[in-house]
Amino acid sequence: MKTFDLQDKIIAAGLALGVFLFLSADLGAPGVTWDEAYPSFHDSKRQAAWIANLFSSASSFSQETIDLYWESTSDHPTIQRSIAAISYLLFSPFLDEIIAFRLPVAFQFSVLIASIFLFLRLFVPKNSSVAGALSLVFMPRVFGHAHLANLDTPIMCWWFWAAIIVFLVYHGRMRPIWFGLAFAIAFGAKLHAAFLPFPLLAWAAIQWFFNRDGKSEVGKRIISAVFWACILTPVLYIGLQPWLWHDAIPRIAHRFLGYAEKVPQRPIPLYYFGTIYAGNTPWHYPLVLFFFSLPPVVLLLWLIGLLPPLFAKTLWGRGDSRIAPTSRPVPASNWISLNGGIHLFLLFLFVTPLALLLLPMAQGYDGCRLFLPAFPFAALMVGFGFDAVLSLLRRRMNFIIANSLVFLLMLVPPLYSYYKIHPYYLAYYNELAGGIRGAKEMGMETTFYCDALKKDFIEVINAIIPADKSLKPCSMSFAVIQYYKDRGWLREDIHHDREPPWDFYLLQCRQGMFRETEWYLYKQQKPLAEIQVDGVPLFKLYGALK
């Protein structure tokens, strides 16, 4: 069995370190987002207080104390917020608390990049593996979410890690217990992990059915992986969430049933091609958003990577695959056996997060946020596509020139987009959509998460609004405004909790949440100040209604 060489390990470590340093230098750039202001930061601070006083009080583990510090309005697990709490305790004395809360997510994303590189090295050369790994960094919306202390990037990371471990367990490259551990952590990151076993079991069943040799051993490994997941998931889920230590069964039931009831009862509106949808997401929404969210060259390489057997010979066919070496020729159309079934595996794992938005109780909103787990598998496809393109070009030109040309085509447009859009990564639309300006004209939502509301615009608000005046936040979370007040960034004498009439309006241009007043402000009123990207407003400050 082949292993990674020293150069592979150095490249993987270099990728992780480089991405982490790049992210760390930029973590304070996006504004505080909807879910960060509440409940993420709020819950993490309370958990940090409990951890700091853990051994100084005899009642730390009492139900009253646990409920005081650990009860949350969120139906999702608190484990990632606990990690943020530890980061807050360690780094907030030296760094701004926003950066301290966001560091763990940046770290996980950086390790994810290295993981994509190493997994691709099982199939393609180093250059294609680097390209595939970095393609995830070149996806602006994904890179934007990697800045934020929410649950979406962690579930993307652990969904990926748990999935590829199943692939490696199937082929005897890892022990089944590692899947149990990875899935347990994924389930502790966000409840969406409950859907992960479906594509994995479907893929494993298909592979097992068509497998000629070693069916018994493969079956034992998969059953063992399922066993460890069933054992470790409840242990870690309950063990790492103190709120579940008391009255565990009714509290778990309350959490899951509460989430299932909340989704259909409180639909979140979506603005999509000029129409507002509330809880009835069009089937094509996730696919269209995916196509609009990747830089064109990355998107093209992804499309090529979908069907690599049609474009180039693979390492499997050359007899040096690291999964199951063979010298036998493999039919180019055989998706099941080629490269150990990797192409069917990637297709299943890519499609599942998008398809989840089409379930009866599911909703699509917030751009790509709810199907982020699809993107690492798209990055793996980009690696295969990059290798396929190079296989074609190297017949016509020098390999170094071909490699440099394709890599630069993949690198330069996203960097230019970052230069134009920084730090409003979540407002990115690619050239197929005509950029954010074209997306606005098509009737797409231009922003959604309050990340565009930065400290410098808060200072503009402070300078414009006189003392003891009221400010109405529109199409956004009041918790974000309260957070900026608590930090002392927004003046205390600017009141956002009074009754109408309002003296000033702060409008986030999330058109899905617009009602009559918001549309009137957006289309008829002249703003006193605004945040724009390429001429498209993301936030506007207005005076009183006229």
Side-chain angles (χ1 to χ4, degrees):
M1 181 182 294
K2 293 185 178 182
T3 57
F4 300 114
D5 58 34
L6 179 60
Q7 192 177 40
D8 288 332
K9 297 173 183 177
I10 292 174
I11 293 173
L15 286 170
L17 179 61
V19 171
F20 182 71
L21 292 176
F22 186 35
L23 266 174
S24 299
D26 196 44
L27 285 181
V32 173
T33 60
W34 198 307
D35 290 339
E36 286 180 312
Y38 189 84
S40 293
F41 290 176
H42 175 265
D43 288 357
S44 294
K45 283 184 178 180
R46 289 192 300 141
Q47 292 178 30
W50 183 83
I51 295 169
N53 298 309
L54 183 59
F55 300 107
S56 62
S57 172
S59 62
S60 292
F61 297 97
S62 69
Q63 182 168 350
E64 182 180 4
T65 301
I66 292 292
D67 289 352
L68 178 63
Y69 289 100
W70 286 88
E71 190 168 11
S72 174
T73 57
S74 173
D75 297 307
H76 289 293
T78 60
I79 295 171
Q80 286 296 323
R81 292 172 189 142
S82 302
I83 297 172
I86 295 171
S87 178
Y88 173 76
L89 288 172
L90 292 174
F91 299 112
S92 61
F94 318 105
L95 301 172
D96 183 86
E97 69 175 47
I98 297 173
I99 297 176
F101 282 131
R102 290 173 171 177
L103 273 174
V105 173
F107 177 78
Q108 290 175 79
F109 181 79
S110 304
V111 176
L112 174 64
I113 300 303
S115 305
I116 293 173
F117 166 79
L118 290 173
F119 190 67
L120 276 169
R121 280 295 292 125
L122 298 174
F123 310 100
V124 296
K126 291 180 174 66
N127 59 324
S128 300
S129 300
V130 170
L134 288 181
S135 71
L136 195 68
V137 181
F138 299 157
M139 301 176 190
R141 285 180 179 252
V142 179
F143 187 65
H145 279 289
H147 289 71
L148 309 176
N150 55 25
L151 305 181
D152 303 300
T153 297
I155 186 58
M156 174 179 72
C157 295
W158 287 101
W159 181 291
F160 177 82
W161 290 325
I164 64 170
I165 288 173
V166 164
F167 186 90
L168 297 174
V169 165
Y170 182 94
H171 290 289
R173 293 295 302 265
M174 289 190 77
R175 295 178 181 273
I177 190 174
W178 291 113
F179 169 71
L181 182 61
F183 179 77
I185 298 174
F187 195 77
K190 200 172 184 182
L191 295 180
H192 296 67
F195 296 100
L196 177 58
F198 294 100
L200 293 177
L201 290 175
W203 172 81
I206 292 172
Q207 290 296 118
W208 181 86
F209 182 79
F210 287 97
N211 187 34
R212 295 180 181 178
D213 305 311
K215 278 193 173 186
S216 176
E217 288 301 315
V218 168
K220 288 179 182 178
R221 289 197 293 267
I222 296 300
I223 292 173
S224 181
V226 172
F227 168 80
W228 282 113
C230 293
I231 293 296
L232 293 177
T233 299
V235 170
L236 291 183
Y237 187 82
I238 296 174
L240 295 177
Q241 297 187 82
W243 186 67
L244 300 178
W245 294 352
H246 301 276
D247 300 326
I249 294 177
R251 289 187 172 189
I252 291 173
H254 170 77
R255 176 174 284 179
F256 283 89
L257 292 176
Y259 185 78
E261 292 173 357
K262 179 185 70 175
V263 172
Q265 290 176 358
R266 293 191 296 173
I268 297 175
L270 162 72
Y271 188 64
Y272 179 63
F273 285 118
T275 301
I276 295 178
Y277 297 89
N280 54 339
T281 307
W283 67 267
H284 42 79
Y285 168 75
L287 192 59
V288 169
L289 260 290
F290 175 81
F291 272 92
F292 283 172
S293 298
L294 267 61
V297 175
V298 175
L299 184 63
L300 178 61
L301 291 173
W302 168 77
L303 286 168
I304 295 173
L306 276 173
L307 301 170
L310 302 182
F311 291 91
K313 292 182 179 179
T314 65
L315 290 180
W316 179 283
R318 296 199 292 269
D320 53 356
S321 167
R322 299 184 181 206
I323 292 297
T326 178
S327 58
R328 294 176 298 174
V330 179
S333 61
N334 196 335
W335 278 49
I336 294 173
S337 63
L338 191 62
N339 278 340
I342 184 61
H343 305 301
L344 189 63
F345 175 83
L346 294 183
L347 188 63
F348 276 16
L349 272 298
F350 169 76
V351 167
T352 298
L354 282 72
L356 290 179
L357 297 186
L358 306 181
L359 293 176
M361 291 195 308
Q363 299 179 49
Y365 53 86
D366 286 1
C368 301
R369 185 171 73 85
L370 298 184
F371 56 91
L372 277 182
F375 287 89
F377 300 98
L380 292 176
M381 295 176 186
V382 170
F384 280 102
F386 190 95
D387 188 54
V389 170
L390 286 186
S391 297
L392 295 174
L393 291 180
R394 68 191 304 174
R395 302 172 189 172
R396 297 169 175 81
M397 64 176 68
N398 178 273
F399 173 76
I400 295 178
I401 295 175
N403 185 74
S404 301
L405 177 63
V406 179
F407 192 81
L408 285 174
L409 286 173
M410 189 179 75
L411 170 68
V412 173
L415 288 181
Y416 178 67
S417 296
Y418 285 174
Y419 170 76
K420 288 180 60 179
I421 206 168
H422 177 271
Y424 312 114
Y425 303 108
L426 304 189
Y428 173 81
Y429 286 92
N430 64 18
E431 286 76 4
L432 296 180
I436 187 172
R437 185 178 299 178
K440 176 178 176 290
E441 293 173 356
M442 281 192 291
M444 308 295 282
E445 224 158 40
T446 47
T447 189
F448 62 89
Y449 218 21
C450 299
D451 57 293
L453 185 59
K454 297 168 54 202
K455 187 178 180 181
D456 54 359
F457 196 71
I458 296 295
E459 293 171 352
V460 171
I461 294 172
N462 286 333
I464 291 176
I465 299 181
D468 202 34
K469 295 295 183 179
S470 61
L471 174 68
K472 170 66 182 300
C474 300
S475 305
M476 62 176 292
S477 169
F478 278 43
V480 172
I481 297 299
Q482 186 60 53
Y483 177 81
Y484 285 132
K485 273 195 173 182
D486 294 341
R487 291 296 307 273
W489 294 0
L490 182 67
R491 294 200 332 263
E492 278 292 336
D493 59 10
I494 297 176
H495 306 285
H496 69 286
D497 51 1
R498 287 185 175 177
E499 296 296 323
W502 302 90
D503 300 311
F504 293 87
Y505 293 82
L506 178 62
L507 177 68
Q508 178 181 219
C509 298
R510 178 173 181 159
Q511 292 89 343
M513 291 190 169
F514 281 10
R515 298 297 179 264
E516 185 177 349
T517 299
E518 286 81 5
W519 281 117
Y520 173 73
L521 289 169
Y522 189 65
K523 292 188 173 182
Q524 304 294 329
Q525 290 265 82
K526 183 178 181 180
L528 302 173
E530 62 184 331
I531 300 171
Q532 288 189 352
V533 172
D534 199 19
V536 176
L538 304 180
F539 265 91
K540 293 186 176 189
L541 177 66
Y542 294 94
L545 290 175
K546 297 178 181 179

